[in-house]
Amino acid sequence: MTTEVQKLVVHYVDKKDEKIEIHLRNDEMIVNDKVNVFIEQLHHAYNGKPGKGFCGFSGEKNGSVATAMQSYRMGDLHFWNMTEQATEILKEELNKYAFNETGYLIFCHYQYVATDYMLIAMVNIKDHYSITSELDLAASRHLDISKMQLAARIDLQQWSADPESNRYISFIKGRAGRKVADFFLDFLGCEEGIDAKHQSKVMLEAVEDYLSEQEYDKQEKTDLRKQVFEYCSDCVTTGSDAQVDALSDTISKSDGVDFDTFYKEQSYELEESFPVDKKTVTSMVKFSGMGAGVSISFERKHLGERIHYNEHSDTLTIQGVPPNLKEQLQKYLVDNN
């Protein structure tokens, strides 16, 4: 196990008569193996959430949450009292935005691979059903971690080392059409900083330009794209930033200009390290799209071989239809002839 929980408090957020009510737990949870396993699952679920935003605390916004956290870290405030103060700010913001969010509000200070984190997450509950040995129906309630939408995580070490940074806090931006991003920024007292999606796009553009300029052959390009994608995927899994020097070591030719020098000379707006947007970097190895009832996805290496695109007629020709799809099509032809 790689997760070590330091402190954990869980409160409950309810809504009655259009107003948010907070039910506070009266102490910290006792940390045991069960708690460590739960937080490790929560950590990985959070890492796997796409479309995160990144920010840092701002002096221009309400600094109550940051002040409470800093007091806790300095030993001037107990962890439970910090969560109580932060929960009151959360309550005010939830009422302001009129969100219908209820569930368990989790505050956890934990270590993962020698990094200190503070995680704040709202986790909803879900009903599950089972059959007893007497063949009766039994119901139970479970934390629905996979559907977590309101969550933020502070890298405490990065905050200490570089308080002026704009990326030591990450948060889930949430579903389209909701002001979850605005809500969490106001709650935490933050200004959104580095754009992971934009940085990932710039990185892809720089890599493609570099592969073309260095005159790699088609297979070499395919292999290197896959290596870059795997590196970026590992960064997403661990919750760490991608490092341009590591990318450079992966794709640079020994007898040519290295990637690190190339992107700097070409003035790409790419940070030396940046958070990765996985959906964006997936386009490096896969083409996909959907619309008008059609969904298509295939590995990039097949374009020009098994799959051909005619730009003038706007058609895709697929040679070697996947067996399961072929079976469905053949059955349809038989049934409708």
Side-chain angles (χ1 to χ4, degrees):
M1 185 180 298
T2 51
T3 298
E4 184 177 342
V5 175
Q6 305 296 315
K7 302 281 185 178
L8 175 65
V9 169
V10 179
H11 303 306
Y12 186 70
V13 179
D14 199 1
K15 191 166 188 177
K16 290 184 178 179
D17 300 324
E18 300 304 313
K19 286 292 183 181
I20 294 295
E21 292 186 358
I22 304 294
H23 303 276
L24 296 174
R25 178 185 169 89
N26 58 12
D27 58 2
E28 297 174 15
M29 276 195 183
I30 297 174
V31 176
N32 52 31
D33 288 344
K34 188 186 299 182
V35 165
N36 280 309
V37 170
F38 168 63
I39 295 302
E40 182 154 9
Q41 290 179 355
L42 199 62
H43 171 85
H44 288 300
Y46 180 84
N47 282 351
K49 286 290 182 180
K52 293 190 188 72
F54 294 84
C55 57
F57 290 121
S58 170
E60 311 250 332
K61 295 216 176 174
N62 187 337
S64 300
V65 173
T67 300
M69 285 189 188
Q70 195 67 283
S71 296
Y72 159 67
R73 296 174 67 209
M74 298 296 292
D76 298 328
L77 189 67
H78 289 295
F79 186 78
W80 185 91
N81 296 105
M82 181 211 74
T83 71
E84 180 190 29
Q85 292 182 24
T87 300
E88 282 303 313
I89 303 299
L90 181 82
K91 177 182 176 180
E92 292 174 11
E93 295 300 326
L94 282 171
N95 281 322
K96 184 190 302 181
Y97 282 89
F99 284 161
N100 292 315
E101 294 291 343
T102 61
Y104 293 96
L105 182 60
I106 298 168
F107 291 86
C108 185
H109 175 195
Y110 68 101
Q111 289 184 327
Y112 182 83
V113 193
T115 300
D116 265 319
Y117 291 110
M118 182 76 71
L119 178 68
I120 305 173
M122 177 90 81
V123 180
N124 296 323
I125 49 182
K126 182 178 181 181
D127 291 325
H128 288 260
Y129 298 91
S130 60
I131 301 297
T132 68
S133 58
E134 290 78 25
L135 302 182
D136 290 324
L137 189 65
S140 59
R141 310 190 85 184
H142 295 259
L143 293 172
D144 197 3
I145 295 176
S146 64
K147 297 293 179 62
M148 174 174 56
Q149 288 294 326
L150 297 177
R153 186 175 65 192
I154 300 95
D155 184 324
L156 298 177
Q157 287 166 285
Q158 192 177 358
W159 181 21
S160 294
D162 188 8
E164 301 303 316
S165 170
N166 60 3
R167 68 176 74 177
Y168 56 80
I169 301 174
S170 62
F171 62 97
I172 299 172
K173 284 196 170 183
R175 297 181 290 270
R178 300 185 58 191
K179 295 183 177 179
V180 177
D182 293 340
F183 160 71
F184 251 101
L185 291 177
D186 287 346
F187 160 58
L188 293 170
C190 295
E191 293 280 0
E192 188 163 8
I194 192 166
D195 188 330
K197 187 173 183 179
H198 174 70
Q199 285 290 298
S200 297
K201 284 182 176 179
V202 174
M203 183 273 292
L204 293 186
E205 180 185 350
V207 167
E208 287 299 323
D209 290 348
Y210 177 78
L211 295 180
S212 296
E213 184 168 297
Q214 296 302 304
E215 298 181 344
Y216 285 106
D217 62 35
K218 184 177 180 179
Q219 187 57 50
E220 286 177 322
K221 288 181 180 180
T222 297
D223 293 341
L224 290 172
R225 288 189 190 105
K226 184 178 180 181
Q227 290 179 41
V228 172
F229 171 72
E230 289 174 348
Y231 169 74
C232 290
S233 295
D234 288 342
C235 290
V236 172
T237 300
T238 59
S240 58
D241 283 0
Q243 306 292 328
V244 174
D245 56 359
L247 290 172
S248 184
D249 291 342
T250 299
I251 67 176
S252 296
K253 273 191 171 182
S254 58
D255 58 349
V257 176
D258 61 62
F259 176 73
D260 190 58
T261 301
F262 172 80
Y263 98 91
K264 290 175 181 176
E265 288 181 346
Q266 299 298 320
S267 301
Y268 291 96
E269 295 181 356
L270 183 64
E271 301 279 348
E272 292 185 2
S273 66
F274 58 92
V276 174
D277 181 72
K278 187 170 183 179
K279 185 176 180 180
T280 300
V281 299
T282 299
S283 65
M284 178 169 280
V285 294
K286 182 178 289 188
F287 291 114
S288 62
M290 61 184 300
V294 176
S295 177
I296 298 174
S297 176
F298 59 90
E299 291 183 29
R300 181 173 181 149
K301 65 182 180 181
H302 294 314
L303 188 64
E305 296 180 356
R306 286 182 56 196
I307 299 174
H308 301 271
Y309 174 56
N310 187 315
E311 185 175 3
H312 298 293
S313 61
D314 193 27
T315 57
L316 277 179
T317 303
I318 302 174
Q319 295 175 318
V321 177
N324 55 347
L325 176 57
K326 183 177 181 179
E327 182 180 349
Q328 295 173 62
L329 295 173
Q330 290 174 333
K331 185 176 185 302
Y332 173 83
L333 292 176
V334 171
D335 292 343
N336 288 273
N337 282 335

